[in-house]
Amino acid sequence: MNLEKICQEVILVAQEAGQFIAAEAKKFSTASVEYKAVNNVVSYVDKETEKLIVSRLEQILPEAGFITEEGTVETKDQNGLNWIIDPLDGTANFIHSLPNYSVSLALAQGKDVLVGVIYNVCTQETFSATKGGGAFRNGEKISVSANKHLGESLLATGFPYYKFDNQYKYLKILESLMQKTHGLRRMGSAAIDLAYVACGYFDGFYEYNLNSWDMAAGILLITEAGGVATDFSGTDEHLFRGDVVAGSAVHTELLAEIQKFWI
């Protein structure tokens, strides 16, 4: 399997999907918003973008299955070869015209991510990585931050929108890190957060209640850029477990801080 060739083709798909989203943003009406829950929204743009992506990726690798956010195609064996798709990461931002949302596409064999592409629709940045091939932003090689200490770091996180039973522990982590870092940012697109860790804008990222499509491409970007990604227990089960800690050399300190309250 030529991962580099596949990656270049996936980049074109992500950019095409991003152009569709950008065009729809100019005429989008909140009247078309659907609610999965009070703070979990979806639009026709998510669904139509996903259909577009699926149709293109089927042509690139017909033998691969799909794991998608909007469920427009049936999911096959999670442990097999799958495209993992988030057609519009940051939907709440999109419907409120907040310019921070992305397309996130990955190819994985089970939990082993082989190709990852994130396209930031609003900045037109393309982040890409292949397993063993490095990580890139607009074709230029990137690497994680050189910061080694949590006290020097700027972190990103996200807020859960379901399963609030762990909210107290999450808020204790937030309270602690607010006092031990340069700050935390909640931008509303986990895929962009992870891409920005990969190129050194953020030193680390953590969140729970994520899905595989939120993080698959991003964690490959980070590991190929010299960083580390684990779940909150420090294992490599993050892709399908739902919690992730990813970062540069501060990962060890960040994970230890999280584990004070989480485990």
Side-chain angles (χ1 to χ4, degrees):
M1 189 183 302
N2 187 333
L3 296 182
E4 181 57 38
K5 180 176 183 295
I6 291 172
C7 185
Q8 292 306 311
E9 293 175 319
V10 175
I11 286 172
L12 295 178
V13 174
Q15 291 173 343
E16 181 184 359
Q19 289 163 7
F20 171 75
I21 293 169
E24 293 302 311
K26 296 176 182 178
K27 55 185 178 182
F28 183 78
S29 167
T30 55
S32 64
V33 172
E34 301 174 28
Y35 287 83
K36 300 177 183 178
V38 66
N39 54 0
N40 186 6
V41 291
V42 66
S43 74
Y44 75 88
V45 180
D46 299 71
K47 296 176 181 179
E48 292 304 313
T49 305
E50 184 169 292
K51 292 175 184 177
L52 171 73
I53 291 168
V54 167
S55 69
R56 300 293 189 268
L57 296 182
E58 282 179 328
Q59 299 172 36
I60 296 173
L61 210 60
E63 64 269 31
F66 290 91
I67 299 173
T68 69
E69 179 171 16
E70 304 308 332
T72 61
V73 63
E74 183 180 355
T75 298
K76 295 184 180 179
D77 178 14
Q78 180 175 286
N79 296 315
L81 183 67
N82 285 295
W83 295 108
I84 304 179
I85 301 170
D86 193 336
L88 177 48
D89 188 57
T91 299
N93 286 352
F94 173 82
I95 68 171
H96 288 279
S97 301
L98 183 64
N100 193 72
Y101 40 87
S102 62
V103 177
S104 181
L105 310 178
L107 178 67
Q109 180 70 53
K111 65 181 182 182
D112 187 20
V113 185
L114 307 176
V115 174
V117 174
I118 295 170
Y119 180 70
N120 186 326
V121 178
C122 302
T123 64
Q124 299 181 15
E125 292 171 293
T126 302
F127 299 88
S128 61
T130 56
K131 186 175 181 180
F136 301 86
R137 172 188 171 276
N138 294 339
E140 298 292 327
K141 194 170 180 61
I142 56 175
S143 60
V144 296
S145 163
N147 288 343
K148 297 180 179 180
H149 303 292
L150 201 57
E152 302 171 339
S153 69
L154 182 66
L155 304 178
T157 189
F159 300 149
Y161 53 84
Y162 70 110
K163 294 183 181 178
F164 292 104
D165 46 322
N166 286 316
Q167 183 174 336
Y168 174 75
K169 290 189 285 187
Y170 175 83
L171 291 175
K172 293 301 291 183
I173 295 168
L174 187 64
E175 179 183 20
S176 178
L177 291 173
M178 286 171 62
Q179 301 174 55
K180 296 180 179 179
T181 67
H182 285 180
L184 294 98
R185 302 290 180 266
R186 199 283 191 187
M187 298 176 66
S189 169
I192 293 176
D193 289 340
L194 291 165
Y196 283 2
V197 172
C199 61
Y201 300 162
F202 291 128
D203 299 285
F205 170 84
Y206 71 96
E207 191 172 350
Y208 76 100
N209 282 358
L210 288 177
N211 292 291
S212 58
W213 48 78
D214 298 307
M215 66 172 98
I219 58 178
L220 181 64
L221 280 164
I222 289 171
T223 54
E224 287 297 323
V228 179
T230 68
D231 60 22
F232 281 14
S233 297
T235 77
D236 66 352
E237 299 298 323
H238 45 289
L239 183 60
F240 296 114
R241 177 169 157 166
D243 47 84
V244 65
V245 187
S248 59
V250 304
H251 176 272
T252 301
E253 277 190 78
L254 177 56
L255 179 61
E257 197 64 30
I258 289 169
Q259 289 181 341
K260 288 180 183 178
F261 305 98
W262 196 261
I263 298 175

